[in-house]
Amino acid sequence: MRETRSNDKKKHFRIDFRFSIWLATSIVVLMILMFALTINSARERDMVEQFSKQQLAIARGTAAGIEELVVGIEKSMVTLSRLPCVKGTMPEATIQSMKVIYDDLEGRVEFIAVENKYGVIIAAYPPSLLKGIMGKSFGFRRYFQEAKRTGKPCVSDLVLVGGEKYEDVENRFKSIIVAVPKYDPGNEFSGVVLAALSFSTIIDRYIKPIKCDMPCCLWMVDDSGTILVHPDAEFVGENVGILEGAKSEERISLKDALLRGEEGYGEYMLLKKDGRVEKSIVAYAPIHLGSRKWTIVAGIPHDAAILLLRKTFFNIMFVAALLIAAVVIGSIAVVYSGRRRLRLEEELRHLRERSSWQEKLAREKRTIEGIIEGSPIPAFVIDREHKIILWNKACAELTGFDSKDMIGTDRQYVPFYPEKRPLIADVIVDSDVEGLKKYYGKKKILKSTVVEDAYEARDFFEDMGGIKRHLYFMAAPIYDENGEVIAAIETLQDVSREREMELSLKEYAESLKNELYENVKLRENVEGLYSYLQSILDSSPDRVFALSSEGIINYVSRGMGEGAEFTTHQIKGKHFTEFVAPEHRDFMLEKWEEMKKGIFRPYEIEVRKEDGSVRNLLLTSGTIRGTDRYVIVQRDVTEFKDLEKKFYESQKLAAVGQLSAGIAHEIRNPLSSIKMSLQILAKRLKPSGNDLKRFNIAEKEVEHLEKLVRDILIFARPEEPKMELADINKSLEDSLAMAEKEIADKKIHVHSVYDKKVPLIKFDPAMLEQAFLNIYLNAVDAMESNGKLLISTKLIENKYDYVVIEIEDNGCGIDDDDLHHIFNPFFTMKKDGTGLGLTQVEKIVDLHRGTIEIISRKGKGTRICMTFPVSTTGTEKG
């Protein structure tokens, strides 16, 4: 009876044990499936995001390419519109220029045409594509009017052009018209220059060449939402809204997203030509065509994007199924092992008569296992077959794997690595030293100095029991009585806190190092700033004094430099009155008392140096903020005083000049009368010999006086120039013609080199021609017979365009000493000169905002270089 009850209990125990194992196995399988599905869903979202960004990059690159193509054509049309032949409407030259630009565009446009201001085509290339429309209105009136109204290039929508005749619908082709306004030399609108960019060229260049490993496609939509290009031809010309099969209330529709003119991407349900609705990844980027915005759309089916990922997921699930099967088989093995252990226990009860040494050995074994099992240090033991024979509680808590699932298996790697690989205990059991180097060479594995034949290593794990951990491993062999390795024990220790403390200490040390470096750098910067400010004070021409409230000098700069009566060290720490001359001491003490009362007014004193020279000093005082000290700045204003005296002298000279101008004006009319009377007397008396000579001398002297009076009036009362757009090259030629007699008398060889690029600029032709004539006459006077006169102009183009005029002769030249005075009034080196010619030239050049420079060498010749700014309102000469 008792044996029957005992057998029943054992039977119920086996059933409960089996049920627990199967229940635990089912829960683990279910958790693995749920975890795998969660990971797969997250990876699908990441894959969709990656493909969205890839499609956006394709759309953005295609849009940029089309924009670059249109901008390039626009620049070519702008260049063509600015050519002189196009401005002047010379058909033959215009067609030749159009041919050059058409060839340079290498087939990017179908044709180039020029319309006059009435919208009639006056030139086109190639003529074969536009036969029958020459001399007619082209029909693109909208863009003609837009270019005329805005004065800027414009780009059209898709239009139909081409054919033998404009009305020939069958031979037309879709094109984008790029129109650029053109202007005549008077800056008036004179028509447009336009080019037709075939839509098929855009498709062949930017839509068709797009290659992708996935079944991706490109469409194009205009700014009204009309589909221009689509892989399914039946959708071309339709509104883009018909493609969206099902709209979501959570996001904007595909049509609204495309018409915003911004780039982006998203997932949409799109209609296919067979009527199916398919989820797709859509990316879009705008194409900026003047005032219009088209959109490039790149799409790829959602299922195609994640197909590879799903295949990978199914493969992983298949492998997981195999692993689950292995777990089930392992569970069955555990059940079988349990049953076997129960049978052995029954047999042991019948074998209690065995020798005492076996009982002692079993007791010692259980003691050792108990010690290991109860140890707070995580540890496990494997046998020669790499099967786990012990997995203590601490190890289970650390790894999250229970001993029931680990003992009897070779899955000791599972808590640590995703793939099967030997642990240190496995390598020690096999005595495989090469395996240690292969698997743990990078882990800095070391032979233990404490335990014989043991090895230790460190490693980091992202997920160890749900936590990031740094672990320290030590594995040692277990020997039998014959010294053979029968097992190996491996202990683990969580050293995450120690590692974190080590890293924290390193970071703290690094932060201290950086802080120390910043402090040193700050000190260097402060010292550098102090040295810089000190050098500024020391380099200043003014001398700065800092005085205490008792008048003691605390600081003085070295502003006086060499020749100062006292050095800085001699002045510091003494009362300022010790360095004031006796005649100024009372005056300075009076100013000192005013300073102490808060009255700070600049004042001057005159001092005499040891060499007898007199210097004027300006003293300015003030308080130093935040202190009871004062600052005094001493400035040497001797030169300013001299300039002030010269200014007063110049005012006196100006008054004399005005008086001279008045006298000259009064003298001019009597001189004209005297000259006329001499000419009348010469005709009536018809003198000869010495009388004729005297008449000629008198007439020549009157002319000299007239020139002197005229020069004085120009110098004393210069008129404002009457600015107008004129050709400066022509003014040079006209003034040269005025000196034709003097040039011919000395047989001067004149060589002119005029830059044809020089545009019309604003100047007073009469004034500049007078200046050029004075320069020509001076050059002729300086040269002997058969001299050479070189005249040249050149346009300099940079940030501010200007014209350079050079007049060069090979005459006697000018001394270096005289070169500095040649612009001074009444300075002359001629016997009968007035000394006002070059002064007059300089004034005229200054009135035109120009510059003049004279370069001369005695005996070699003289070169006069003048520059004049180019007016922004001037037009280029054709």
Side-chain angles (χ1 to χ4, degrees):
M1 180 73 73
R2 289 178 181 176
E3 290 182 359
T4 302
R5 290 178 179 176
S6 178
N7 291 333
D8 290 340
K9 289 181 179 180
K10 292 178 181 178
K11 186 177 181 180
H12 286 301
F13 173 75
R14 294 191 191 106
I15 292 173
D16 294 340
F17 186 67
R18 291 175 185 173
F19 177 76
S20 300
I21 291 176
W22 284 110
L23 181 61
T25 303
S26 300
I27 292 173
V28 170
V29 170
L30 183 61
M31 291 179 66
I32 291 174
L33 289 174
M34 292 177 64
F35 182 70
L37 290 172
T38 303
I39 292 177
N40 183 65
S41 176
R43 293 188 64 189
E44 284 187 2
R45 287 196 298 271
D46 291 341
M47 184 66 73
V48 168
E49 183 70 15
Q50 291 179 11
F51 271 94
S52 298
K53 292 180 178 179
Q54 181 190 43
Q55 297 304 305
L56 179 59
I58 293 173
R60 188 186 295 150
T62 305
I66 296 174
E67 288 178 4
E68 183 178 359
L69 174 63
V70 174
V71 170
I73 295 173
E74 185 177 292
K75 290 180 179 179
S76 298
M77 295 302 101
V78 171
T79 302
L80 180 61
S81 69
R82 294 177 178 177
L83 293 176
C85 59
V86 177
K87 286 188 173 183
T89 63
M90 295 181 282
E92 294 182 1
T94 300
I95 292 174
Q96 185 63 30
S97 301
M98 293 165 66
K99 179 179 183 302
V100 171
I101 292 180
Y102 180 88
D103 294 338
D104 184 63
L105 290 174
E106 300 177 349
R108 297 175 191 163
V109 298
E110 295 297 331
F111 65 84
I112 300 174
V114 178
E115 289 187 354
N116 63 13
K117 63 182 180 181
Y118 303 106
V120 177
I121 293 179
I122 58 175
Y125 187 89
S128 60
L129 289 177
L130 300 174
K131 190 179 298 182
I133 65 173
M134 292 295 294
K136 299 180 180 180
S137 177
F138 200 38
F140 306 129
R141 301 299 298 169
R142 175 183 174 185
Y143 312 109
F144 180 91
Q145 294 299 333
E146 185 176 347
K148 181 178 180 180
R149 176 175 54 82
T150 63
K152 298 179 180 179
C154 62
V155 182
S156 74
D157 294 325
L158 275 181
V159 295
L160 292 173
V161 298
E164 289 295 317
K165 296 180 180 179
Y166 183 69
E167 294 80 6
D168 189 356
V169 177
E170 295 182 355
N171 292 324
R172 294 182 186 178
F173 49 85
K174 292 182 178 180
S175 295
I176 298 173
I177 302 301
V178 180
V180 175
K182 70 184 187 77
Y183 299 89
D184 59 17
N187 207 21
E188 295 291 333
F189 177 79
S190 61
V192 297
V193 178
L194 55 89
L197 170 60
S198 174
F199 194 57
S200 61
T201 300
I202 296 176
I203 296 174
D204 293 340
R205 282 176 175 265
Y206 298 101
I207 306 299
K208 291 183 178 179
I210 297 298
K211 295 182 179 179
C212 184
D213 295 336
M214 297 290 179
C216 58
C217 61
L218 291 178
W219 345 324
M220 187 182 296
V221 179
D222 65 11
D223 51 6
S224 66
T226 303
I227 300 173
L228 305 179
V229 178
H230 195 277
D232 298 332
E234 64 185 39
F235 292 129
V236 176
E238 299 290 342
N239 191 279
V240 71
I242 70 169
L243 292 178
E244 194 166 6
K247 298 181 180 179
S248 173
E249 295 180 358
E250 298 178 359
R251 62 171 180 266
I252 64 173
S253 66
L254 177 60
K255 178 180 178 181
D256 294 338
L258 297 182
L259 295 182
R260 285 189 308 178
E262 300 175 357
E263 63 178 33
Y265 55 82
E267 298 179 44
Y268 297 90
M269 302 299 295
L270 299 183
L271 183 68
K272 298 297 180 181
K273 63 179 180 181
D274 56 2
R276 293 184 300 107
V277 176
E278 184 179 52
K279 188 178 182 180
S280 299
I281 301 171
V282 178
Y284 43 87
I287 309 173
H288 299 276
L289 301 176
S291 60
R292 293 166 178 80
K293 286 186 179 179
W294 293 0
T295 306
I296 283 289
V297 185
I300 183 171
H302 182 274
D303 292 340
I306 63 174
L307 179 61
L308 181 61
L309 184 61
R310 286 184 174 174
K311 288 181 178 179
T312 304
F313 174 71
F314 289 138
N315 292 335
I316 292 174
M317 292 302 295
F318 178 74
V319 174
L322 294 179
L323 290 175
I324 291 170
V327 171
V328 172
I329 294 172
S331 301
I332 294 173
V334 171
V335 172
Y336 177 77
S337 176
R339 292 177 62 188
R340 184 180 179 186
R341 188 166 59 251
L342 289 174
R343 285 196 300 269
L344 288 175
E345 289 175 356
E346 291 176 0
E347 293 176 1
L348 284 174
R349 283 195 299 271
H350 298 289
L351 297 175
R352 292 176 180 175
E353 298 86 10
R354 289 189 179 185
S355 60
S356 60
W357 66 267
Q358 287 180 334
E359 293 179 0
K360 184 178 180 180
L361 181 62
R363 192 163 50 249
E364 288 178 355
K365 179 182 178 183
R366 287 193 297 272
T367 301
I368 293 173
E369 289 178 351
I371 292 172
I372 296 175
E373 178 67 24
S375 173
I377 298 176
F380 65 89
V381 181
I382 63 172
D383 60 14
R384 286 285 301 171
E385 285 72 33
H386 302 278
K387 300 292 185 180
I388 302 173
I389 61 176
L390 185 62
W391 187 274
N392 72 355
K393 186 177 181 181
C395 188
E397 292 177 353
L398 176 68
T399 62
F401 288 81
D402 194 78
S403 60
K404 294 186 298 181
D405 301 323
M406 303 302 292
I407 293 176
T409 70
D410 60 352
R411 299 173 57 247
Q412 55 269 23
Y413 68 90
V414 173
F416 309 101
Y417 304 107
E419 70 279 350
K420 188 173 183 179
R421 52 167 289 176
L423 302 183
I424 301 177
D426 293 300
V427 177
I428 288 178
V429 167
D430 293 336
S431 301
D432 185 7
V433 179
E434 294 299 324
L436 286 173
K437 295 179 180 179
K438 178 180 178 181
Y439 293 103
Y440 294 95
K442 296 182 180 179
K443 310 295 184 184
K444 297 182 180 179
I445 190 166
L446 300 172
K447 193 168 185 179
S448 176
T449 58
V450 179
V451 181
E452 186 178 0
D453 297 332
Y455 289 88
E456 57 187 27
R458 294 175 183 266
D459 203 353
F460 173 72
F461 298 92
E462 286 284 347
D463 186 7
M464 174 60 63
I467 303 174
K468 295 181 180 181
R469 298 181 189 270
H470 291 271
L471 296 183
Y472 165 77
F473 300 88
M474 176 180 281
I478 300 174
Y479 298 99
D480 61 8
E481 64 274 11
N482 297 321
E484 297 292 334
V485 177
I486 61 171
I489 181 172
E490 186 165 342
T491 60
L492 301 89
Q493 187 175 351
D494 187 354
V495 293
S496 301
R497 288 189 61 188
E498 290 82 351
R499 181 62 178 168
E500 290 174 0
M501 289 180 65
E502 181 184 349
L503 293 175
S504 298
L505 288 173
K506 285 185 178 179
E507 291 177 359
Y508 181 67
E510 186 67 23
S511 64
L512 285 178
K513 179 182 177 182
N514 293 335
E515 186 175 351
L516 179 60
Y517 174 79
E518 291 297 331
N519 289 337
V520 173
K521 194 70 177 177
L522 179 61
R523 180 177 178 180
E524 291 176 355
N525 291 338
V526 171
E527 291 177 352
L529 179 61
Y530 176 80
S531 300
Y532 176 71
L533 295 175
Q534 185 65 39
S535 64
I536 291 175
L537 288 174
D538 292 340
S539 302
S540 173
D542 300 334
R543 171 166 277 191
V544 180
F545 298 86
L547 306 181
S548 69
S549 57
E550 292 79 24
I552 303 300
I553 300 175
N554 295 324
Y555 170 83
V556 59
S557 67
R558 297 190 296 272
M560 296 299 291
E562 295 181 2
E565 296 181 32
F566 305 98
T567 64
T568 301
H569 296 291
Q570 291 175 334
I571 295 176
K572 276 186 177 181
K574 297 182 181 180
H575 199 276
F576 74 92
T577 55
E578 295 182 25
F579 308 99
V580 177
E583 62 269 23
H584 299 303
R585 192 164 296 166
D586 294 337
F587 175 78
M588 291 297 294
L589 287 172
E590 179 182 350
K591 292 298 181 182
W592 170 251
E593 292 300 323
E594 289 182 358
M595 286 173 57
K596 293 170 71 174
K597 293 177 182 179
I599 301 172
F600 304 100
R601 286 195 292 262
Y603 53 94
E604 293 181 12
I605 60 173
E606 186 176 273
V607 298
R608 187 176 299 276
K609 300 184 69 177
E610 292 181 353
D611 58 358
S613 61
V614 176
R615 311 297 293 178
N616 295 95
L617 301 179
L618 174 65
L619 300 177
T620 307
S621 59
T623 58
I624 300 176
R625 289 184 180 180
T627 68
D628 60 348
R629 300 180 182 182
Y630 301 91
V631 63
I632 297 177
V633 180
Q634 173 185 301
R635 172 172 294 182
D636 190 342
V637 294
T638 306
E639 286 76 14
F640 292 104
K641 288 292 183 179
D642 294 339
L643 288 174
E644 188 179 28
K645 293 177 181 178
K646 291 179 180 179
F647 173 73
Y648 292 139
E649 291 296 329
S650 65
Q651 286 187 324
K652 295 177 182 178
L653 289 175
V656 173
Q658 292 295 327
L659 178 62
S660 301
I663 295 173
H665 182 73
E666 295 299 327
I667 292 175
R668 183 167 56 178
N669 292 333
L671 283 175
S672 299
S673 300
I674 293 171
K675 182 179 179 181
M676 187 180 296
S677 299
L678 287 172
Q679 291 174 347
I680 294 172
L681 289 174
K683 288 181 180 180
R684 289 181 180 179
L685 300 178
K686 296 180 181 180
S688 59
N690 289 332
D691 293 337
L692 179 61
K693 185 176 180 180
R694 291 187 182 94
F695 267 101
N696 291 336
I697 290 172
E699 187 175 357
K700 185 176 181 182
E701 290 299 327
V702 169
E703 291 177 352
H704 177 68
L705 286 174
E706 279 186 334
K707 184 176 184 303
L708 177 62
V709 168
R710 184 172 61 254
D711 289 345
I712 288 174
L713 287 174
I714 292 174
F715 172 71
R717 298 177 182 174
E719 297 179 358
E720 284 296 323
K722 298 176 182 178
M723 309 295 275
E724 62 181 66
L725 280 174
D727 188 349
I728 200 163
N729 290 341
K730 184 176 182 302
S731 293
L732 285 166
E733 283 292 330
D734 293 344
S735 57
L736 186 64
M738 298 179 193
E740 183 178 1
K741 180 179 180 303
E742 289 79 1
I743 292 172
D745 290 344
K746 284 195 173 183
K747 299 179 181 179
I748 303 298
H749 301 283
V750 180
H751 181 58
S752 302
V753 181
Y754 300 131
D755 189 349
K756 300 299 182 182
K757 296 180 182 178
V758 175
L760 302 178
I761 65 174
K762 278 191 173 184
F763 65 93
D764 186 330
M767 273 194 177
L768 278 190
E769 286 173 11
Q770 181 62 44
F772 296 152
L773 177 61
N774 286 347
I775 295 172
Y776 292 151
L777 294 177
N778 285 346
V780 171
D781 290 341
M783 289 187 289
E784 301 293 337
S785 296
N786 295 313
K788 293 180 180 179
L789 181 64
L790 175 62
I791 307 167
S792 66
T793 61
K794 185 177 182 181
L795 175 64
I796 304 299
E797 297 178 312
N798 51 24
K799 185 176 181 181
Y800 301 103
D801 297 349
Y802 57 92
V803 179
V804 177
I805 301 173
E806 291 188 355
I807 302 173
E808 184 176 359
D809 64 68
N810 62 345
C812 60
I814 305 171
D815 287 332
D816 291 339
D817 295 336
D818 296 333
L819 199 58
H820 301 290
H821 307 289
I822 55 175
F823 291 122
N824 293 345
F826 308 109
F827 177 81
T828 182
M829 294 178 290
K830 301 178 185 177
K831 293 181 180 179
D832 55 350
T834 63
L836 293 173
L838 286 177
T839 304
Q840 179 183 347
V841 170
E842 185 185 34
K843 276 189 173 292
I844 292 173
V845 172
D846 288 341
L847 289 171
H848 286 78
R849 296 182 292 114
T851 63
I852 182 170
E853 182 183 7
I854 297 181
I855 304 167
S856 181
R857 292 180 61 187
K858 186 67 175 178
K860 298 292 184 180
T862 302
R863 184 174 77 230
I864 298 179
C865 179
M866 292 173 285
T867 62
F868 296 97
V870 175
S871 173
T872 55
T873 59
T875 57
E876 191 174 308
K877 292 192 297 182

